[in-house]
Amino acid sequence: MEEGKGFISNGKNVERDEVFSKSVRAGKRTYFFDVKATRKNEYYLTITESKKRFNKEGRYFYEKHKIFLYKEDFDKFKDGLTEVLDFIQNSQGQGIQEAAVEPEIENSQEKDYTDVDFEDLEVSVAAESSREE
C-alpha cells in the first residue's frame, strides 16, 4: 500500500481524501505540504521532509520525517513559527539566503582570484629549489 493512499480500519481499506498538495524543493531537501480530510471531512495538514540518502551499496533511498498538524493547533503553530522566523530574520538580517550564496570576503575588500601573477610563482619555485640543494 502506498503511503497516504489509505489505511486499514476494521478490516476495510479506507481512502483518505487528499484535498490539496504543495511541494517545495529547498536544496537537498523537498518539503511536502498535504491537506487531507478526516472521516468527518475535517482538514488537517501533513508536513513531510524528504532527503535523498545513499546506503552502503551506493543505492539511494528517501529518508522522510512527517508532522501531522490538526486544525485545533493551527493558530498556535502559526504563531510559534512566525515568532521564530521573525527572531531569526531580526537577529541575522533579511539577506540570510544572500549571505549563504555570497559569503563575506575578509576585510570587506573584494579579492580577484583570476588575477594571478605567474612571475611571483617562478620566483617562489626558484627560491624553494635553492633551499633543497
Side-chain angles (χ1 to χ4, degrees), residues 36-132:
K36 298 181 181 183
T38 65
R39 289 184 209 128
K40 294 181 181 180
N41 205 32
E42 293 181 356
Y43 293 167
Y44 66 98
L45 171 66
T46 62
I47 303 171
T48 306
E49 174 201 39
S50 179
K51 294 186 274 187
K52 192 175 189 178
R53 299 286 192 190
F54 294 90
N55 63 17
K56 292 177 183 177
E57 292 82 35
R59 294 185 179 160
Y60 71 89
F61 65 96
Y62 291 96
E63 180 179 273
K64 295 180 181 181
H65 299 97
K66 193 171 272 202
I67 297 172
F68 292 85
L69 188 59
Y70 298 96
K71 190 165 72 173
E72 61 267 18
D73 300 327
F74 286 176
D75 288 335
K76 289 181 181 179
F77 186 88
K78 180 180 165 187
D79 292 345
L81 181 61
T82 300
E83 183 178 340
V84 169
L85 294 177
D86 287 346
F87 171 80
I88 292 170
Q89 289 179 336
N90 291 332
S91 297
Q92 296 185 336
Q94 296 293 331
I96 294 170
Q97 288 190 6
E98 293 170 10
V101 174
E102 298 177 23
E104 287 185 36
I105 298 173
E106 290 180 31
N107 301 326
S108 300
Q109 294 176 354
E110 190 171 326
K111 295 184 180 183
D112 187 1
Y113 292 103
T114 59
D115 186 21
V116 178
D117 187 358
F118 290 103
E119 291 174 10
D120 291 342
L121 291 176
E122 291 171 6
V123 171
S124 296
V125 170
E128 189 66 33
S129 297
S130 66
R131 281 188 221 150
E132 291 176 2

